[in-house]
Amino acid sequence: MKLLITNGYVIDPASGVNAGKDLLIENGRVRGLLSRGDSRPEDAEVFDATGLIVAPGFIDLHVHLREPGHEYKETIASGAAAAVAGGWTSLCAMPNTDPVNDNPAVTRFIIEQAEKAQLANVFPIGAVTKGSGGKELAEIGEMKNAGIVAVSDDGQPIPTAGMMRRAMEYARGFDLPVVDHCQDRSLSAGGAMHEGRWSLILGLKGMPAAAEEVDAVRDCVLAGLTGARVHLAHVSTRGTIEAVRRAKELGLRVTCEVAPHHWSLNDEAVADYDTNTKMSPPLRSAEHIGALLAGLRDGTIDAIATDHAPHHSDEKALEFDQAPFGIVGLETAVGLAFDLVQQGVIDLERLVQLCSTNPARVFNLEDRGTLKTDAWGDVTILDPNLEWTFDVSVSRSKSRNTPFDKRQFRGAAVATVVGGRIVYLHPHLRDARAKKEELRAKG
Ligand SMILES: [Zn+2]
């Protein structure tokens, strides 16, 4: 099985390639990047990428797939379908399912369901503590053998520094990063949005930036104490960015990710009490967004991750303070990342680093995040000029909770290749292909 992606412009920061090249994938792995004079196989399927960017497959470090237990919100198959439509070839699945992924049986189930779906690669994240209860460590070693790539109690922040220290020391032995949703609940309890001017105006209880920052600083200090790999999920405040920047200067093994909604919207968006603007951490004020943009620009932020969090519309239809936290994000993230390119915050190479090169490094995903020879044949093909409008009614996700319905974008992932198989084609490419086939059939 061979796939030849021709006439595209290849951006692969991991191998320093930034040039027009053809990409040959054979039996699921990259065979090589071909230059003008190189010979090409005649029996390969050809994808013409004229005018398009060819990048190593995008890797989302933070997704809630809801299966097992909440299949009415999302399944591994529906989440993977939304992922490839959004340009993501690999997903890292958070463990807050029912049952929680705190043992190898659940880990194996997730991997099997993903294999059946045959769309995106799914890498499970195991729970840090049993049932993510914060009391007793989960079966981390057994889960590592079954295939987890990190541990996290995301959604149920690890309550004490003592527990976090034990988790870090234990995870370090397995070379697994500990992913933390930084939130000191003694500061954030009962909060529905960012604590600031808008929470006062709207009469909603706020979650102060300090609730995130106290834990972010704690985790950085403990990374120094333990030498463990620590990854801060969905960072959203100035103080968190400053803590990570300082930790990196000190040479600690601290990384972090940002979710697209945190740079795209501010807390004023809550003014209509639309529960699709309710997430945790919450949308922040302009000064925090400025710090996120600076972190994206200067490398303090390692990765863009969606924090895709599907919820049924009946749940989101509750009063603002009663509704669950979170939004879907797999199909809008790349469009929102292109906003950053158009605003001059980052260039295309940095976009690829944030969505592919760095995520592969952060979770040690071997042979991914690059198009070097023998890497997995995972490819995200981008059209930086495509203008499109997101229509949630045709989303592949089972859920519809997004604040970005009908939003206009410039720039999209138009084809997604996983293990050398084209698993998604943008409708206009599908039409063009169909026309070509038709002409060929007519001879
Ligand atoms: Zn979280």
Side-chain angles (χ1 to χ4, degrees):
M1 220 179 100
K2 293 176 194 164
L3 175 66
L4 182 65
I5 300 171
T6 57
N7 304 318
Y9 189 85
V10 174
I11 300 181
D12 181 18
S15 47
V17 177
N18 219 316
K21 298 256 183 208
D22 289 359
L23 170 64
L24 178 62
I25 301 172
E26 194 173 336
N27 297 327
R29 298 267 187 169
V30 174
R31 186 68 195 275
L33 290 170
L34 310 179
S35 301
R36 199 157 278 168
D38 298 336
S39 68
R40 280 145 181 75
E42 284 178 5
D43 55 345
E45 178 184 358
V46 175
F47 179 96
D48 183 1
T50 301
L52 304 176
I53 307 288
V54 177
F58 285 5
I59 299 166
D60 189 345
L61 296 178
H62 194 139
V63 185
H64 299 276
L65 292 177
R66 306 301 191 206
E67 185 183 357
H70 301 112
E71 289 83 355
Y72 67 97
K73 298 181 195 229
E74 196 78 285
T75 62
I76 289 165
S78 66
V84 297
W88 303 96
T89 58
S90 293
L91 305 177
C92 302
M94 280 296 175
N96 60 334
T97 46
D98 186 10
V100 169
N101 181 20
D102 62 1
N103 68 77
V106 179
T107 305
R108 278 192 293 269
F109 170 79
I110 294 167
I111 291 171
E112 281 163 17
Q113 292 298 93
E115 281 169 357
K116 270 188 217 157
Q118 287 195 31
L119 290 164
N121 308 300
V122 176
F123 299 103
I125 297 171
V128 176
T129 59
K130 284 196 177 145
S132 286
K135 295 206 172 74
E136 203 184 330
L137 285 175
E139 300 170 32
I140 294 174
E142 289 88 338
M143 286 193 289
K144 161 109 189 193
N145 290 335
I148 62 164
V149 294
V151 288
S152 181
D153 279 349
D154 183 59
Q156 300 293 331
I158 294 171
T160 68
M163 190 69 220
M164 189 48 135
R165 177 191 184 171
R166 282 181 58 208
M168 285 187 190
E169 285 173 340
Y170 198 60
R172 188 191 55 199
F174 300 104
D175 197 27
L176 288 169
V178 179
V179 183
D180 197 21
H181 173 137
C182 295
Q183 185 182 336
D184 183 314
R185 278 178 289 186
S186 67
L187 289 169
S188 68
M193 68 175 294
H194 174 61
E195 179 181 300
R197 187 170 155 257
W198 278 100
S199 63
L200 279 175
I201 294 170
L202 300 172
L204 290 167
K205 190 164 183 326
M207 296 190 265
E212 175 176 318
E213 291 162 356
V214 163
D215 270 9
V217 170
R218 173 195 80 178
D219 290 353
C220 290
V221 170
L222 293 175
L225 177 67
T226 62
R229 292 162 60 197
V230 177
H231 180 71
L232 305 189
H234 43 48
V235 298
S236 71
T237 81
R238 175 190 295 265
T240 302
I241 295 294
E242 283 168 0
V244 173
R245 192 175 284 130
R246 174 91 184 110
K248 289 188 168 183
E249 280 165 12
L250 292 171
L252 304 181
R253 300 163 86 194
V254 174
T255 54
C256 73
E257 73 195 22
V258 65
H261 45 268
H262 283 129
W263 76 69
S264 305
L265 294 170
N266 63 32
D267 55 347
E268 193 180 339
V270 180
D272 297 331
Y273 297 95
D274 175 358
T275 57
N276 290 325
T277 60
K278 182 178 178 182
M279 56 284 279
S280 178
L283 299 175
R284 302 287 186 186
S285 57
E287 56 151 330
H288 295 293
I289 294 174
L292 297 181
L293 297 178
L296 282 160
R297 199 182 289 128
D298 71 12
T300 304
I301 293 172
D302 297 272
I304 291 172
T306 64
D307 193 10
H308 177 80
H311 289 294
H312 193 273
S313 46
D314 290 351
E315 297 165 312
K316 277 292 199 183
L318 297 171
E319 292 287 309
F320 196 89
D321 53 357
Q322 300 298 315
F325 293 101
I327 60 169
V328 292
L330 288 166
E331 290 161 297
T332 48
V334 169
L336 294 166
F338 268 110
D339 285 354
L340 297 172
V341 176
Q342 275 130 36
Q343 292 159 13
V345 177
I346 57 171
D347 60 15
L348 270 173
E349 188 176 347
R350 178 97 182 104
L351 187 153
V352 175
Q353 272 176 359
L354 286 159
C355 295
S356 181
T357 325
N358 292 351
R361 175 176 53 80
V362 168
F363 279 8
N364 269 358
L365 302 178
E366 251 175 69
D367 301 335
R368 299 192 196 271
T370 177
L371 296 173
K372 69 173 195 286
T373 301
D374 291 335
W376 286 102
D378 298 346
V379 188
T380 296
I381 298 175
L382 305 162
D383 183 342
N385 298 312
L386 184 74
E387 293 183 9
W388 60 287
T389 303
F390 180 58
D391 178 359
V392 75
S393 70
V394 294
S395 167
R396 281 150 173 84
S397 169
K398 277 195 168 185
S399 290
R400 296 285 178 264
N401 50 314
T402 174
F404 298 116
D405 190 29
K406 302 293 182 292
R407 195 181 190 284
Q408 295 184 330
F409 294 97
R410 183 160 165 236
V414 290
T416 308
V417 175
V418 174
R421 281 174 52 236
I422 300 173
V423 290
Y424 173 75
L425 272 183
H426 189 277
H428 85 250
L429 289 182
R430 262 195 317 256
D431 295 348
R433 281 207 142 197
K435 243 179 224 148
K436 243 190 216 165
E437 296 282 307
E438 210 176 287
L439 285 175
R440 197 176 302 146
K442 279 182 187 157

